[in-house]
């Protein structure tokens, strides 16, 4: 593979880690090819390597979110089989089980993140996808409450915790892997395919549940049909594992490893994160609040909301969600490419301001009928895509290479556990307590305010190099190019 070819030593003043293709774009004075250059789209082999990296990252991410998609749209069946209580308590318990997996995610980030920075991105991503797919597959085999009593929900919770633990390393690692394989000037476009995989997982889960509902009917779905989508995760995980084992680790990580610049141990890395990189930890945490409150309100809680508060049928609710997600999926690569041209921050500003303004009007028109509910969901979803499409380009670039995996994984998962995964449960409880069906709109608006405050303090990183042991930024690249 061309990325392994050795090149001459850097000229005086050349920044370590900058490849020839990207240096021509980012710093014309840096002309010497790096030992581990990022694959370039100028050659067939480079394009093939990037496609393989996209496939390995996106397939694993799709497997991860396939489970979340299934669980979100199958809450009524989970309730009937594992939490058969009277009234709305069963639904609340099912949603609480959804939230429990998120409480374990920070622990996964604390374990997998430092390991990924010392052992490599590839090795950890192979382990996380095995755990995630295996736990999802096992849920499809669980006996229900009628068969083994209280052990049924206990086992479900344990498997959800395994999923949460693996997810703590999966998403941050996949985003880091994709960002570090992408050419600097196209990191937004190529990184957006990771989120393409996210929505593919959601859509596949939603479509399968809808398909089986139509084919099998409500009674068969409740009795045994709900298991079938969970079992699909097994072969999906094996495909993702195969794709990941076929690639070498990222050029950026191999360059760091070659220069022996990894953190010596997890304790030192965690200390450095808190002492040296507290600002990106806080600002990224704020952005994740906005990102994932919106995400889990729109994609995970929406089926429950449409059925319980808007009185849509289960099939209509899933059809609406499926159509809205398909529209988002189509737009994602275009939004990623646009971020390479205009920058990440303008995309985030447009999304945060748009969601803040549109949240209440769109939730109001959702009350009218199926068509207006589809319009309201689509508008909010397309505004959200402006954030979603740039995650893999924005978040990994907030940390230097030696702490990138851990910084991303820990920050993302702590913030998500506190505010994202709990969003369906919080929305449901607040609606029950207040009787106000606009609660999800208010919650999204508050999250957007938090995100806007954080956004003011992050540097622009579109097009800049993410190699090296300093925090990336466009300003840093310009300063070094001017030397």
């Amino acid at each position: 593979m061309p990325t392994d070819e050795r090149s001459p030593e850097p000229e005086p003043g050349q920044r370590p880690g900058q490849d020839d293709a990207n240096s021509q774009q980012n710093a014309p004075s840096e002309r010497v090819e790096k030992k581990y250059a990022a694959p370039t789209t100028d050659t067939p082999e480079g394009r093939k390597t990037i496609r393989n990296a996209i496939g390995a990252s996106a397939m694993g991410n799709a497997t991860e979110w396939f489970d979340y998609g299934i669980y979100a749209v199958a809450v009524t069946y989970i309730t009937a089989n594992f939490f058969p209580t009277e009234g709305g308590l069963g639904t609340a318990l099912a949603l609480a089980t959804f939230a429990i997996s998120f409480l374990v995610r920070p622990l996964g980030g604390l374990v997998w993140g430092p390991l990924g920075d010392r052992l490599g991105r590839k090795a950890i991503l192979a382990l996380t996808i095995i755990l995630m797919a295996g736990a999802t597959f096992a849920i499809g085999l669980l006996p229900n409450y009628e068969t083994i009593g209280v052990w049924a929900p206990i086992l479900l919770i344990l498997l959800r915790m395994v999923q949460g633990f693996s997810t703590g390393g999966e998403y941050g690692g996949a985003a880091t892997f994709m960002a570090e394989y992408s050419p600097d000037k196209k990191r937004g476009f190529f990184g957006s395919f990771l989120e393409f995989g996210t929505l593919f997982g959601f859509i596949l889960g939603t479509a399968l549940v809808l398909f089986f509902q139509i084919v099998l009917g409500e009674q068969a779905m409740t009795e045994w049909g709900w298991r079938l989508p969970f079992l699909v995760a097994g072969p999906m995980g094996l495909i993702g594992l195969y794709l990941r084992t076929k690639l070498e680790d990222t050029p950026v990580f191999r360059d760091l490893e070659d220069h022996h610049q990894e953190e010596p141990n997890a304790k030192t890395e965690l200390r450095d994160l808190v002492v040296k990189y507290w600002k990106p930890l806080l600002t990224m945490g704020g952005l994740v609040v906005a990102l994932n409150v919106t995400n889990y309100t729109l994609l995970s809680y929406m089926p429950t909301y449409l059925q319980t508060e808007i009185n849509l049928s289960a099939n209509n609710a899933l059809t609406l969600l499926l159509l809205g997600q398909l529209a988002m999926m189509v737009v994602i690569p275009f939004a990623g490419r646009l971020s390479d041209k205009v920058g990440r921050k303008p995309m985030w500003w447009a999304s945060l301001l748009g969601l803040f303004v549109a949240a209440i009007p769109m939730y109001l028109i959702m009350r009218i009928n199926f068509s207006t509910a589809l319009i309201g969901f689509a508008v909010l979803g397309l505004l959200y895509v402006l954030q979603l499409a740039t995650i893999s380009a924005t978040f990994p670039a907030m940390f230097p290479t030696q702490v990138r995996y851990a910084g991303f994984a820990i920050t993302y998962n702590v913030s998500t556990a506190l505010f994202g995964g709990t969003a369906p449960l919080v929305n449901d409880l607040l609606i029950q307590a207040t009787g106000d069906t606009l609660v999800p709109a208010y919650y999204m608006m508050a999250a957007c305010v938090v995100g806007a405050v954080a956004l003011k303090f992050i540097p622009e990183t579109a097009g800049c190099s993410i190699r090296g042991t300093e925090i990336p930024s466009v300003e840093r690249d310009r300063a070094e190019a001017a030397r």
Side-chain angles (χ1 to χ4, degrees):
M1 188 173 161
T3 53
D4 283 333
E5 294 177 0
R6 293 185 177 269
S7 65
E9 288 298 315
E11 293 178 353
Q14 182 183 4
R15 183 175 69 258
Q18 181 69 40
D19 63 276
D20 181 59
N22 292 332
S23 65
Q24 292 176 11
Q25 297 170 327
N26 296 334
S29 63
E30 298 174 0
R31 297 183 297 276
V32 181
E33 186 179 5
K34 287 303 298 177
K35 177 179 177 181
Y36 297 114
T40 173
T41 55
D42 295 335
T43 67
E45 189 169 358
R47 290 192 292 272
K48 180 181 178 181
T49 300
I50 292 174
R51 285 196 300 269
N52 290 341
I54 290 172
S57 300
M59 188 63 188
N61 212 41
T63 303
E64 174 189 346
W65 295 105
F66 175 74
D67 165 72
Y68 285 100
I70 296 171
Y71 196 98
V73 299
V75 164
T76 54
Y77 305 121
I78 297 294
T79 301
N81 281 275
F82 295 93
F83 305 100
T85 59
E86 297 295 330
L89 179 59
T91 299
L93 290 173
L95 291 175
T97 302
F98 180 85
I100 281 173
S101 69
F102 287 85
L103 299 180
V104 188
R105 285 178 63 161
L107 177 60
L110 283 167
V111 172
W112 300 120
L115 286 175
D117 282 324
R118 287 185 290 121
L119 303 180
R121 291 46 166 134
K122 173 185 170 181
I124 302 307
L125 287 173
L127 291 173
T128 57
I129 196 171
I130 291 172
L131 284 174
M132 185 73 192
T136 305
F137 183 83
I139 288 176
L141 301 176
L142 279 181
N144 61 16
Y145 189 91
E146 184 178 346
T147 304
I148 59 172
V150 72
W151 282 106
I154 290 175
L155 290 173
L156 175 64
I157 290 170
L158 288 175
L159 287 173
R160 292 291 298 168
M161 292 174 72
V162 171
Q163 290 172 326
F165 182 73
S166 64
T167 302
E170 166 63 35
Y171 186 68
T176 297
F177 190 86
M178 189 66 259
E180 292 183 349
Y181 251 113
S182 299
D184 293 335
K185 291 293 185 181
K186 298 182 179 180
R187 194 161 54 243
F189 174 65
F190 288 124
S192 68
F193 285 95
L194 185 67
E195 307 313 323
F196 191 90
T198 296
L199 283 180
F200 176 77
F202 262 105
I203 288 170
L204 182 60
T206 303
L208 280 177
V209 173
L210 178 60
F211 172 77
F212 288 127
Q213 280 182 178
I214 294 172
V215 172
L216 300 176
E218 192 72 19
Q219 182 175 350
M221 275 296 290
T222 302
E223 291 176 356
W224 58 270
W226 65 270
R227 300 178 182 275
L228 300 179
F230 285 96
L231 298 178
V232 173
M236 283 183 67
L238 292 176
I239 294 171
L241 178 63
Y242 172 78
L243 292 173
R244 286 181 173 179
T245 55
K246 297 295 286 184
L247 276 173
E248 295 183 81
D249 221 318
T250 70
V252 175
F253 177 78
R254 283 184 288 151
D255 186 68
L256 181 85
E257 192 175 40
D258 193 57
H259 287 83
H260 305 291
Q261 293 175 318
E262 311 100 305
E263 292 281 349
N265 54 61
K267 182 178 179 181
T268 301
E269 180 171 8
L270 295 175
R271 184 190 64 208
D272 285 349
L273 274 172
V274 174
V275 174
K276 298 180 181 179
Y277 305 110
W278 60 269
K279 185 176 179 180
L281 289 175
L282 290 177
T283 53
M284 180 178 162
L287 292 182
V288 175
V289 170
L291 176 81
N292 275 340
V293 165
T294 303
N295 181 81
Y296 291 104
T297 297
L298 279 180
L299 301 184
S300 297
Y301 180 61
M302 188 59 70
T304 303
Y305 179 81
L306 292 173
Q307 291 177 64
T308 59
E309 308 301 334
I310 311 299
N311 296 320
L312 286 184
S313 68
N315 286 351
N316 281 344
L318 292 191
T319 300
L320 183 150
L321 190 66
L322 185 61
L323 292 174
Q325 288 174 340
L326 282 171
M328 293 167 65
M329 192 173 173
V330 170
V331 174
I332 275 183
F334 297 98
R337 186 184 293 275
L338 182 61
S339 78
D340 286 326
K341 297 180 178 179
V342 304
R344 320 298 183 212
K345 294 183 70 171
M347 302 289 286
W348 276 80
W349 280 121
S351 178
L352 293 172
L353 294 174
L355 287 169
F356 186 88
V357 171
I360 291 177
M362 293 305 103
Y363 268 90
L364 284 173
I365 70 169
M366 283 185 197
R367 297 176 173 181
I368 301 173
N369 54 46
F370 176 85
S371 297
T372 59
L374 178 60
I375 293 171
F377 178 82
V379 169
L380 294 176
L382 292 175
L383 286 169
Y384 171 59
V385 160
L386 301 182
Q387 294 178 46
L388 186 66
T390 67
I391 294 175
S392 300
T394 303
F395 290 168
M398 295 179 71
F399 297 94
T401 308
Q402 75 276 13
V403 296
R404 179 167 295 137
Y405 199 147
F408 188 130
I410 294 169
T411 308
Y412 186 90
N413 288 300
V414 168
S415 188
T416 299
L418 293 175
F419 301 100
T422 58
L425 178 61
V426 169
N427 279 309
D428 192 65
L429 292 177
L430 287 177
I431 289 174
Q432 291 184 37
T434 64
D436 189 346
T437 56
L438 288 178
V439 163
Y442 305 146
Y443 201 38
M444 285 172 55
M445 291 169 70
C448 286
V449 172
V450 175
V453 172
L455 188 60
K456 288 178 63 66
F457 297 98
I458 72 166
E460 181 59 69
T461 57
C464 76
S465 172
I466 61 171
R467 292 178 184 255
T469 57
E470 296 181 19
I471 296 177
S473 73
V474 171
E475 290 76 11
R476 189 197 75 172
D477 274 15
R478 288 173 180 167
E480 294 192 4
R483 289 177 185 173

